[in-house]
Amino acid sequence: MEVVRKKAPVLYLVIPCYNEEEILEGSMDILSDKIKRLIDKEVIDPLSKVVCVDDGSRDRTWDIILQGSKKDDVFRGLKFSRNYGHQNAILAGMLESRRNADCVVTIDADLQQDIEALDDFIAKYMEGCDVVYGVRNNRDTDGAAKKLTALAFYKLMNNLGAKTIPNSADYRLLSKKALNTLAEYPESNMFLRGLIPTMGFRSDIVYFDVKDRTGGQSKYTLKKMINLALDGITSMSIRPLELIMIAGGFFCLLALVIFITAIIDWARGNVVQGWTTMVALICLIGGMNLITTGVVGLYVGKAYIEAKKRPRYIIDMMIWDGSDDTEKD
Ligand code: UDP
Ligand code: MG
C-alpha cells in the first residue's frame, strides 16, 4: 500500500490502570522499551510517550506511575479522583493526549494484547488510516464463561442495532483528526467500541495474539461487565423500546383472541372454566408490564443523567510536561 503520511508520528500510548500494582512495573518497562525501539527505528517521533491513567486505584498503582515517571521521561500520568471505569479511563487518556500526539493507541495494563502489533498499527496509520482496530486472533486465554458471555454480548449488540467490529476490544489507534471528532461527542454514557465505528473515517484492521495475564486478576468483575453491556446497548440503540411495542401488540392480539373464544363458549352455554389460564395470563401480562416499565425507566434514567451533563471523570493529579504530581485546577 502507498504511504500517504510522510513524517513519523508522535505516538501516545494510553494505559488504563485499576489496582494493577502486581504487574504495572513490569508492563511499564516493556512499554518504555518498545517505544524506544520504535523511536530508534524512526517509526515514531522521539517525543512519543506512554500515558498511564490511574482509574481511582486503592493500591500502590499511582506511586508506581509516579516513580516510573521520575526515572523515565517517557511516562505521563493522570489520576482520577475515584473509580470511573475502564471506558472513561481510556477516554481521558485519549482526550488529554490529543494536544501533543499525532495518534494514540489504547492498550490494557496487563499487556494481554501483543504490543509487537504496534508496528502494524503505525504502518496502517502511515497508509492514511484514521482509525485502526485491533482484532484478536484467538480467545484461548479466556475461560469458558467469558468466551460465552462475550459471544452472546456481541451477538445481542449486533441484533439490537449497535454494530461493533467482531472480536475487537479497546486495542485501537486513533489519529488526531479522529480524536478531535471524538471530543465533540458530549454524552456521559459512552461505549467507545460501538461509537467509534459510527464516526466513519478511513479505517482498517490489525490482527494480534492474546496472551495470559501475567499477574493479578481480571479487574472486570461480573458487575462491571453487566454494566458495560447495558451501557453498550442503551447508549447505541433504542431497539429494546421497539421490541417492547411489538411484544405489547402481540399480547393485545392474544387477549382479543381469548376474549372472542370466551364469548363463543358463553354463547354455546358452556360453563365458565379455565381459571388457571386466566390467572396465568394475568401473571404473564403483569410481568410483561413490569419489564416494560423497567426498560423504559432505564432509558428515562439515562436521559436524566445525560441532561445533567456532569463531567465524565474528574482528574485529581497529573504528571505532564516535566511537572510531576501537579494538582489539577
Ligand atoms: N480497568 C480500569 N478500570 C476499571 C476496570 C479495569 O481502568 O474499573 C483497566 C485495567 O486496569 C486493565 C483494563 O482496564 O488495564 C482491562 O481490564 P482487565 O485486564 O482486568 O480485563 P479483562 O482483560 O479481564 O477483560
Ligand atoms: Mg486483561
Side-chain angles (χ1 to χ4, degrees):
M1 267 282 253
E2 180 199 0
V3 173
V4 183
R5 292 178 163 118
K6 296 283 184 297
K7 193 184 137 294
V10 177
L11 169 71
Y12 272 46
L13 278 180
V14 169
I15 326 293
C17 314
Y18 179 54
N19 295 339
E20 297 287 11
E21 62 179 7
E22 287 112 326
I23 48 133
L24 193 55
E25 263 162 331
S27 296
M28 284 169 81
D29 287 344
I30 295 171
L31 289 169
S32 155
D33 175 64
K34 177 68 189 168
I35 288 277
K36 275 159 199 157
R37 272 189 287 141
L38 288 173
I39 292 175
D40 286 345
K41 281 197 284 177
E42 297 184 3
V43 173
I44 58 174
D45 191 279
L47 288 174
S48 299
K49 303 286 173 209
V50 178
V51 182
C52 302
V53 184
D54 177 1
D55 183 11
S57 303
R58 280 181 303 266
D59 63 359
R60 286 176 41 247
T61 298
W62 182 247
D63 288 339
I64 295 171
I65 298 172
L66 204 60
Q67 292 315 316
S69 71
K70 279 185 182 143
K71 273 192 295 189
D72 188 343
D73 184 46
V74 78
F75 293 112
R76 296 285 179 268
L78 301 176
K79 180 179 167 27
F80 280 178
S81 60
R82 65 165 167 87
N83 182 235
Y84 281 92
H86 171 243
Q87 297 285 298
N88 286 315
I90 53 184
L91 181 69
M94 291 193 294
L95 294 186
E96 290 297 329
S97 301
R98 84 197 147 104
R99 286 178 281 136
N100 312 77
D102 294 320
C103 60
V104 167
V105 173
T106 47
I107 184 169
D108 291 347
D110 52 19
L111 299 189
Q112 284 184 280
Q113 297 129 321
D114 185 14
I115 55 159
E116 294 308 321
L118 274 176
D119 302 67
D120 300 338
F121 277 94
I122 302 293
K124 295 282 180 202
Y125 172 82
M126 297 307 274
E127 286 168 13
C129 290
D130 286 302
V131 183
V132 186
Y133 302 99
V135 171
R136 52 201 295 166
N137 282 326
N138 60 61
R139 270 195 186 273
D140 302 345
T141 54
D142 285 352
K146 181 125 189 176
K147 242 185 251 179
L148 205 71
T149 47
L151 198 74
F153 172 59
Y154 285 110
K155 273 250 153 64
L156 187 70
M157 287 290 292
N158 277 325
N159 287 334
L160 290 179
K163 298 274 178 288
T164 50
I165 310 282
N167 279 326
S168 81
D170 291 302
Y171 188 20
R172 187 190 311 109
L173 177 144
L174 293 183
S175 70
K176 202 186 204 83
K177 189 160 68 180
L179 290 168
N180 286 335
T181 309
L182 187 67
E184 281 170 27
Y185 286 70
E187 58 236 65
S188 318
N189 184 9
M190 233 186 202
F191 182 65
L192 295 166
R193 265 168 246 185
L195 186 68
I196 290 171
T198 66
M199 299 196 315
F201 290 129
R202 193 161 152 194
S203 64
D204 211 332
I205 285 172
V206 157
Y207 290 95
F208 67 89
D209 295 326
V210 184
K211 290 177 254 177
D212 273 327
R213 217 176 211 281
T214 46
Q217 277 173 356
S218 172
K219 303 298 178 291
Y220 255 99
T221 53
L222 186 65
K223 191 170 150 225
K224 278 186 198 277
M225 272 200 305
I226 292 174
N227 274 336
L228 182 74
L230 277 181
D231 277 352
I233 292 165
T234 53
S235 74
M236 296 305 297
S237 136
I238 53 166
R239 220 35 228 294
L241 297 178
E242 294 165 8
L243 291 179
I244 280 173
M245 242 176 62
I246 295 170
F250 171 76
F251 278 99
C252 285
L253 269 181
L254 190 70
L256 195 71
V257 172
I258 293 170
F259 187 62
I260 292 170
T261 40
I263 290 181
I264 295 172
D265 272 357
W266 175 76
R268 283 183 182 160
N270 286 351
V271 217
V272 180
Q273 277 180 340
W275 245 96
T276 359
T277 1
M278 212 57 174
V279 174
L281 271 174
I282 290 172
C283 287
L284 184 69
I285 293 172
M288 288 292 296
N289 255 326
L290 277 182
I291 294 174
T292 309
T293 326
V295 176
V296 175
L298 199 64
Y299 278 93
V300 174
K302 294 274 167 171
Y304 172 62
I305 288 171
E306 295 292 347
K308 284 197 285 199
K309 292 200 174 55
R310 290 201 175 157
R312 290 174 281 203
Y313 50 80
I314 293 170
I315 296 174
D316 182 16
M317 312 254 212
M318 253 181 129
I319 308 166
W320 212 270
D321 290 337
S323 58
D324 67 28
D325 213 357
T326 335
E327 293 272 346
K328 176 144 169 118
D329 26 42

Tab-separated table of all heavy atoms in Angstrom, residues 225-257:
chain	number	residue	atom	x	y	z
A	225	MET	N	-18.954	-5.999	33.964
A	225	MET	CA	-19.266	-6.496	32.616
A	225	MET	C	-20.736	-6.270	32.270
A	225	MET	O	-21.065	-5.872	31.156
A	225	MET	CB	-18.913	-7.976	32.497
A	225	MET	CG	-17.483	-8.161	32.068
A	225	MET	SD	-17.069	-9.748	31.366
A	225	MET	CE	-17.571	-10.916	32.571
A	226	ILE	N	-21.616	-6.550	33.257
A	226	ILE	CA	-23.049	-6.338	33.007
A	226	ILE	C	-23.310	-4.860	32.738
A	226	ILE	O	-24.047	-4.492	31.824
A	226	ILE	CB	-23.892	-6.851	34.194
A	226	ILE	CG1	-23.779	-8.381	34.261
A	226	ILE	CG2	-25.358	-6.425	34.055
A	226	ILE	CD1	-24.428	-9.012	35.450
A	227	ASN	N	-22.667	-3.996	33.521
A	227	ASN	CA	-22.837	-2.557	33.314
A	227	ASN	C	-22.377	-2.127	31.935
A	227	ASN	O	-23.039	-1.331	31.264
A	227	ASN	CB	-22.038	-1.769	34.356
A	227	ASN	CG	-22.841	-1.601	35.616
A	227	ASN	OD1	-24.067	-1.661	35.572
A	227	ASN	ND2	-22.173	-1.423	36.739
A	228	LEU	N	-21.237	-2.688	31.497
A	228	LEU	CA	-20.711	-2.339	30.172
A	228	LEU	C	-21.702	-2.764	29.098
A	228	LEU	O	-21.991	-2.017	28.165
A	228	LEU	CB	-19.360	-3.032	29.957
A	228	LEU	CG	-18.670	-2.719	28.623
A	228	LEU	CD1	-18.098	-1.318	28.620
A	228	LEU	CD2	-17.556	-3.711	28.322
A	229	ALA	N	-22.259	-3.991	29.265
A	229	ALA	CA	-23.210	-4.495	28.279
A	229	ALA	C	-24.454	-3.605	28.241
A	229	ALA	O	-24.916	-3.212	27.166
A	229	ALA	CB	-23.594	-5.927	28.613
A	230	LEU	N	-24.969	-3.265	29.418
A	230	LEU	CA	-26.176	-2.418	29.464
A	230	LEU	C	-25.899	-1.035	28.878
A	230	LEU	O	-26.691	-0.504	28.100
A	230	LEU	CB	-26.665	-2.273	30.904
A	230	LEU	CG	-27.545	-3.414	31.424
A	230	LEU	CD1	-27.970	-3.134	32.855
A	230	LEU	CD2	-28.772	-3.604	30.541
A	231	ASP	N	-24.744	-0.463	29.247
A	231	ASP	CA	-24.369	0.848	28.692
A	231	ASP	C	-24.241	0.764	27.190
A	231	ASP	O	-24.691	1.650	26.462
A	231	ASP	CB	-23.017	1.308	29.264
A	231	ASP	CG	-23.185	1.968	30.610
A	231	ASP	OD1	-24.338	2.189	31.006
A	231	ASP	OD2	-22.164	2.245	31.260
A	232	GLY	N	-23.608	-0.318	26.730
A	232	GLY	CA	-23.412	-0.502	25.292
A	232	GLY	C	-24.746	-0.487	24.572
A	232	GLY	O	-24.932	0.235	23.594
A	233	ILE	N	-25.678	-1.283	25.078
A	233	ILE	CA	-26.960	-1.395	24.390
A	233	ILE	C	-27.753	-0.093	24.490
A	233	ILE	O	-28.215	0.448	23.493
A	233	ILE	CB	-27.768	-2.579	24.947
A	233	ILE	CG1	-27.074	-3.890	24.566
A	233	ILE	CG2	-29.197	-2.566	24.403
A	233	ILE	CD1	-27.541	-5.081	25.332
A	234	THR	N	-27.860	0.445	25.700
A	234	THR	CA	-28.725	1.620	25.847
A	234	THR	C	-28.117	2.873	25.224
A	234	THR	O	-28.837	3.798	24.881
A	234	THR	CB	-29.048	1.900	27.327
A	234	THR	OG1	-27.818	1.980	28.042
A	234	THR	CG2	-29.933	0.827	27.912
A	235	SER	N	-26.765	2.903	25.091
A	235	SER	CA	-26.194	4.121	24.520
A	235	SER	C	-26.218	4.078	22.995
A	235	SER	O	-26.099	5.102	22.335
A	235	SER	CB	-24.766	4.351	25.009
A	235	SER	OG	-23.894	3.457	24.377
A	236	MET	N	-26.321	2.892	22.422
A	236	MET	CA	-26.197	2.797	20.969
A	236	MET	C	-27.521	2.568	20.254
A	236	MET	O	-27.586	2.697	19.051
A	236	MET	CB	-25.245	1.657	20.581
A	236	MET	CG	-23.809	1.844	21.037
A	236	MET	SD	-23.058	3.381	20.507
A	236	MET	CE	-23.069	3.182	18.735
A	237	SER	N	-28.577	2.161	20.965
A	237	SER	CA	-29.756	1.721	20.235
A	237	SER	C	-31.034	1.881	21.060
A	237	SER	O	-31.021	1.762	22.287
A	237	SER	CB	-29.529	0.263	19.842
A	237	SER	OG	-30.653	-0.526	20.067
A	238	ILE	N	-32.153	2.167	20.363
A	238	ILE	CA	-33.436	2.188	21.058
A	238	ILE	C	-34.279	0.989	20.634
A	238	ILE	O	-35.473	0.947	20.827
A	238	ILE	CB	-34.208	3.505	20.804
A	238	ILE	CG1	-34.319	3.765	19.314
A	238	ILE	CG2	-33.568	4.678	21.518
A	238	ILE	CD1	-35.341	4.836	18.975
A	239	ARG	N	-33.602	-0.003	20.055
A	239	ARG	CA	-34.272	-1.220	19.622
A	239	ARG	C	-35.098	-1.867	20.739
A	239	ARG	O	-36.239	-2.270	20.497
A	239	ARG	CB	-33.210	-2.183	19.116
A	239	ARG	CG	-33.456	-3.026	17.876
A	239	ARG	CD	-34.245	-2.436	16.811
A	239	ARG	NE	-35.278	-3.398	16.392
A	239	ARG	CZ	-35.027	-4.550	15.810
A	239	ARG	NH1	-33.802	-4.890	15.514
A	239	ARG	NH2	-35.999	-5.358	15.497
A	240	PRO	N	-34.573	-1.972	21.985
A	240	PRO	CA	-35.377	-2.606	23.048
A	240	PRO	C	-36.743	-1.957	23.214
A	240	PRO	O	-37.726	-2.639	23.466
A	240	PRO	CB	-34.521	-2.406	24.301
A	240	PRO	CG	-33.135	-2.354	23.793
A	240	PRO	CD	-33.217	-1.648	22.470
A	241	LEU	N	-36.824	-0.629	23.033
A	241	LEU	CA	-38.117	0.050	23.169
A	241	LEU	C	-39.065	-0.383	22.057
A	241	LEU	O	-40.262	-0.582	22.278
A	241	LEU	CB	-37.929	1.567	23.144
A	241	LEU	CG	-37.090	2.138	24.296
A	241	LEU	CD1	-36.917	3.636	24.138
A	241	LEU	CD2	-37.724	1.822	25.628
A	242	GLU	N	-38.515	-0.562	20.844
A	242	GLU	CA	-39.350	-1.019	19.731
A	242	GLU	C	-39.824	-2.452	19.970
A	242	GLU	O	-40.985	-2.790	19.736
A	242	GLU	CB	-38.571	-0.953	18.419
A	242	GLU	CG	-38.233	0.466	18.007
A	242	GLU	CD	-37.162	0.528	16.918
A	242	GLU	OE1	-36.800	-0.541	16.373
A	242	GLU	OE2	-36.684	1.629	16.649
A	243	LEU	N	-38.904	-3.294	20.464
A	243	LEU	CA	-39.266	-4.691	20.727
A	243	LEU	C	-40.404	-4.769	21.737
A	243	LEU	O	-41.303	-5.597	21.635
A	243	LEU	CB	-38.049	-5.470	21.247
A	243	LEU	CG	-36.941	-5.701	20.229
A	243	LEU	CD1	-35.776	-6.462	20.850
A	243	LEU	CD2	-37.471	-6.477	19.025
A	244	ILE	N	-40.375	-3.885	22.722
A	244	ILE	CA	-41.423	-3.866	23.731
A	244	ILE	C	-42.767	-3.543	23.093
A	244	ILE	O	-43.786	-4.161	23.400
A	244	ILE	CB	-41.086	-2.823	24.804
A	244	ILE	CG1	-40.066	-3.412	25.762
A	244	ILE	CG2	-42.321	-2.385	25.562
A	244	ILE	CD1	-39.558	-2.424	26.739
A	245	MET	N	-42.760	-2.593	22.171
A	245	MET	CA	-44.005	-2.241	21.493
A	245	MET	C	-44.545	-3.428	20.712
A	245	MET	O	-45.746	-3.715	20.747
A	245	MET	CB	-43.765	-1.073	20.541
A	245	MET	CG	-44.567	0.143	20.904
A	245	MET	SD	-44.141	1.508	19.828
A	245	MET	CE	-44.616	0.889	18.238
A	246	ILE	N	-43.637	-4.128	20.044
A	246	ILE	CA	-44.053	-5.305	19.282
A	246	ILE	C	-44.642	-6.351	20.227
A	246	ILE	O	-45.719	-6.910	19.991
A	246	ILE	CB	-42.859	-5.881	18.484
A	246	ILE	CG1	-42.422	-4.854	17.437
A	246	ILE	CG2	-43.221	-7.210	17.839
A	246	ILE	CD1	-41.121	-5.186	16.749
A	247	ALA	N	-43.966	-6.596	21.361
A	247	ALA	CA	-44.458	-7.572	22.335
A	247	ALA	C	-45.828	-7.138	22.853
A	247	ALA	O	-46.745	-7.952	22.998
A	247	ALA	CB	-43.471	-7.712	23.483
A	248	GLY	N	-45.986	-5.830	23.107
A	248	GLY	CA	-47.264	-5.300	23.582
A	248	GLY	C	-48.379	-5.586	22.588
A	248	GLY	O	-49.456	-6.063	22.946
A	249	GLY	N	-48.087	-5.345	21.311
A	249	GLY	CA	-49.063	-5.599	20.253
A	249	GLY	C	-49.457	-7.060	20.213
A	249	GLY	O	-50.647	-7.407	20.116
A	250	PHE	N	-48.463	-7.921	20.349
A	250	PHE	CA	-48.705	-9.360	20.320
A	250	PHE	C	-49.643	-9.767	21.450
A	250	PHE	O	-50.607	-10.507	21.250
A	250	PHE	CB	-47.373	-10.104	20.426
A	250	PHE	CG	-47.519	-11.583	20.614
A	250	PHE	CD1	-47.865	-12.394	19.531
A	250	PHE	CD2	-47.335	-12.167	21.851
A	250	PHE	CE1	-48.012	-13.766	19.698
A	250	PHE	CE2	-47.482	-13.535	22.028
A	250	PHE	CZ	-47.821	-14.338	20.947
A	251	PHE	N	-49.402	-9.241	22.645
A	251	PHE	CA	-50.247	-9.624	23.784
A	251	PHE	C	-51.668	-9.067	23.652
A	251	PHE	O	-52.627	-9.717	24.071
A	251	PHE	CB	-49.594	-9.198	25.103
A	251	PHE	CG	-48.566	-10.207	25.536
A	251	PHE	CD1	-47.224	-10.002	25.295
A	251	PHE	CD2	-48.958	-11.389	26.148
A	251	PHE	CE1	-46.281	-10.954	25.654
A	251	PHE	CE2	-48.032	-12.343	26.508
A	251	PHE	CZ	-46.676	-12.127	26.268
A	252	CYS	N	-51.812	-7.895	23.048
A	252	CYS	CA	-53.151	-7.347	22.813
A	252	CYS	C	-53.927	-8.275	21.879
A	252	CYS	O	-55.094	-8.595	22.116
A	252	CYS	CB	-53.067	-5.961	22.196
A	252	CYS	SG	-52.583	-4.738	23.384
A	253	LEU	N	-53.253	-8.726	20.809
A	253	LEU	CA	-53.886	-9.643	19.863
A	253	LEU	C	-54.314	-10.927	20.563
A	253	LEU	O	-55.436	-11.406	20.403
A	253	LEU	CB	-52.908	-9.985	18.738
A	253	LEU	CG	-52.965	-9.093	17.518
A	253	LEU	CD1	-51.952	-9.565	16.472
A	253	LEU	CD2	-54.378	-9.139	16.914
A	254	LEU	N	-53.391	-11.453	21.375
A	254	LEU	CA	-53.655	-12.681	22.113
A	254	LEU	C	-54.895	-12.515	22.992
A	254	LEU	O	-55.791	-13.365	23.018
A	254	LEU	CB	-52.435	-13.039	22.962
A	254	LEU	CG	-52.466	-14.416	23.615
A	254	LEU	CD1	-52.306	-15.490	22.551
A	254	LEU	CD2	-51.348	-14.546	24.644
A	255	ALA	N	-54.948	-11.368	23.677
A	255	ALA	CA	-56.085	-11.099	24.568
A	255	ALA	C	-57.385	-11.073	23.773
A	255	ALA	O	-58.413	-11.617	24.204
A	255	ALA	CB	-55.871	-9.776	25.290
A	256	LEU	N	-57.330	-10.465	22.583
A	256	LEU	CA	-58.519	-10.378	21.732
A	256	LEU	C	-59.017	-11.777	21.350
A	256	LEU	O	-60.208	-12.093	21.459
A	256	LEU	CB	-58.166	-9.583	20.470
A	256	LEU	CG	-59.349	-9.095	19.655
A	256	LEU	CD1	-60.069	-7.976	20.407
A	256	LEU	CD2	-58.901	-8.603	18.281
A	257	VAL	N	-58.069	-12.616	20.928
A	257	VAL	CA	-58.419	-13.988	20.546
A	257	VAL	C	-59.069	-14.713	21.719
A	257	VAL	O	-60.125	-15.352	21.584
A	257	VAL	CB	-57.166	-14.753	20.058
A	257	VAL	CG1	-57.475	-16.226	19.848
A	257	VAL	CG2	-56.642	-14.128	18.777
